[in-house]
Amino acid sequence: RGSTTKSLTIAAGAAVTEAFEMANHAGGIVRLPAAWTTASIGFQVSDTATGTFYPLYDANGTLVQITSPAVDNAYAIPAEVFGAVWVKLWSQDGSAGDTNQAAARSVGVFLKS
């Protein structure tokens, strides 16, 4: 199995990372930095890198997210995300509202094919 490591940035005063391709991956983790403005991590998805990104919900209408993650820890990416082609990590309040980060944050993503 192949693996891909990415460092994604949420700019200071912003809530989403740049887009990354998920199409060829079947599993992975997100690693939070040592500093993080308290927020859950949601996932915004699109069929193209430059298209419109939408919040990802599961089949029951529940927001797909990593709820209240702790800094400097790693978390499994929820299975629903792997159906997406392009993804952005999203700092949000648990109810689909943006939570802007107080400073630039580098978030690690480790993906397996």
Side-chain angles (χ1 to χ4, degrees), residues 12-105:
V16 295
T17 65
E18 64 271 25
F20 63 98
E21 191 171 10
M22 184 67 81
N24 297 318
H25 301 286
I29 62 172
V30 172
R31 185 177 184 294
L32 257 64
W36 179 254
T37 302
T38 302
S40 294
I41 298 173
F43 303 88
Q44 295 181 354
V45 299
S46 178
D47 60 342
T48 66
T50 58
T52 301
F53 281 76
Y54 299 95
L56 180 62
Y57 290 85
D58 68 16
N60 297 316
T62 302
L63 187 65
V64 175
Q65 62 185 315
I66 299 169
T67 306
S68 303
V71 298
D72 220 13
N73 281 311
Y75 296 89
I77 297 173
E80 294 89 348
V81 179
F82 294 97
V85 179
W86 290 92
V87 177
K88 291 181 179 183
L89 300 181
W90 174 31
S91 171
Q92 49 88 28
D93 63 8
S95 298
D98 290 351
T99 299
N100 293 336
Q101 290 295 305
R105 310 292 190 207

